[in-house]
Amino acid sequence: MQLLIMAAGMGSRFGGLKQIAPMGPNDEFIIDYSIYDAIKEGFSKVVFIIKEELLDDFKETIGKRLEGKVKVEYAFQKTTTVPEGFEIPADRVKPLGTGQALYCTKGMVEGPLAVISADDFYGSDAFRVLGDSLKNTEEYSVIGYHIGNTIPENNSVKRGVCFVEDGKLTDIIESKVERIDGTIKGEPLDGGPAYEMEEDHPVSMLMYGLRKDIYDYMEDDFKKFLESGPDLETCEYYLPTILDHMMKDGLEIKVLPTTSIWKGVTYKEDVEELKEHIRKCIENGEYPENLWG
């Protein structure tokens, strides 16, 4: 099993590189806790998907801490990494989204894989559930959280909103989500109609169990996306959209419930809340005080 960590985000709303901002009592990053949980569940390799200019920072910090614990590789998410025959404007700086991030790891994956975001604290139970699925089934899967537990009070956020029947995903819609006057509302990023949700509606926090054949599917799907005429200065190719297309072609995706509490850092004011959550996890015995000590 291999863990792919998407860490090429710009960090503009946070005001800095949150991927390598200290959060734990011994300056651990958010991704330290994800990697600790993954190693405990038997993952043998970690692939960081980063901007190339961050390579030295990653190697000197998290890379050094992981020496002798797990195999580490780096993939660079460049705007130029697209299917042959297509060209992205040279002045574009921002990566093309989570789908393109996965595309940038083509040729690096040898077996079942989990995909997560470097920005999110997922919790040990989520890794246990996902690891069990990858080890014991051939299924694609997504970890689901209650949406009411993942959104702030005063800011909108992007979420992959799940629709489920008999434990299987029937649809996933990347949406802008916010709580307005006590009601959670979603606005699809593809321009679809807005909708409302209950507090316990399942939502993906970008934690997936995938299989290697997704790369074959993505090669054609990415081409179709670029051929559809998006604005190449601003468009993004989303992993949830790829999975939605695969489901329409017959793929079944299990939604795996978890008791873990999700925490994220979108804005600077989220930092203290996450640090307090980590302190509670340590007090409860979920993590050691010094994660790698």
Side-chain angles (χ1 to χ4, degrees), residues 167-223:
K168 297 175 183 177
L169 194 65
T170 60
D171 202 1
I172 185 165
I173 302 175
E174 193 76 10
S175 305
K176 183 181 83 168
V177 175
E178 58 186 325
R179 188 182 276 108
I180 302 175
D181 297 328
T183 300
I184 300 176
K185 298 185 178 182
E187 183 180 328
L189 300 182
D190 64 2
Y195 55 95
E196 296 182 358
M197 292 163 284
E198 299 295 331
E199 292 281 333
D200 62 353
H201 193 100
V203 60
S204 162
M205 300 311 301
L206 196 61
M207 189 176 195
Y208 296 105
L210 310 177
R211 303 292 162 171
K212 190 177 178 181
D213 61 359
I214 192 172
Y215 291 96
D216 296 329
Y217 185 92
M218 194 166 27
E219 189 67 36
D220 184 58
D221 192 68
F222 202 174
K223 289 178 182 177

Side-chain angles (χ1 to χ4, degrees), residues 14 27 31-33 44 49-50 86 96 105 124 128 134 140 142 159 165 174 191 193 203 240 252 256 260 289:
F14 177 67
D27 292 337
I31 48 181
D32 277 298
Y33 292 93
S44 60
I49 308 168
I50 62 174
F86 297 91
L96 275 73
T105 66
S124 60
R128 180 190 62 79
L134 288 174
Y140 277 65
V142 56
R159 293 288 181 263
E165 186 174 321
E174 193 76 10
V203 60
E252 290 187 346
L256 305 177
S260 285
E289 178 81 18

Side-chain angles (χ1 to χ4, degrees), residues 21-30 33 275 278-279 282 289:
M23 298 290 173
N26 289 279
D27 292 337
E28 293 92 350
F29 307 150
I30 298 175
Y33 292 93
K275 287 183 176 181
I278 290 173
R279 282 193 288 269
I282 292 171
E289 178 81 18

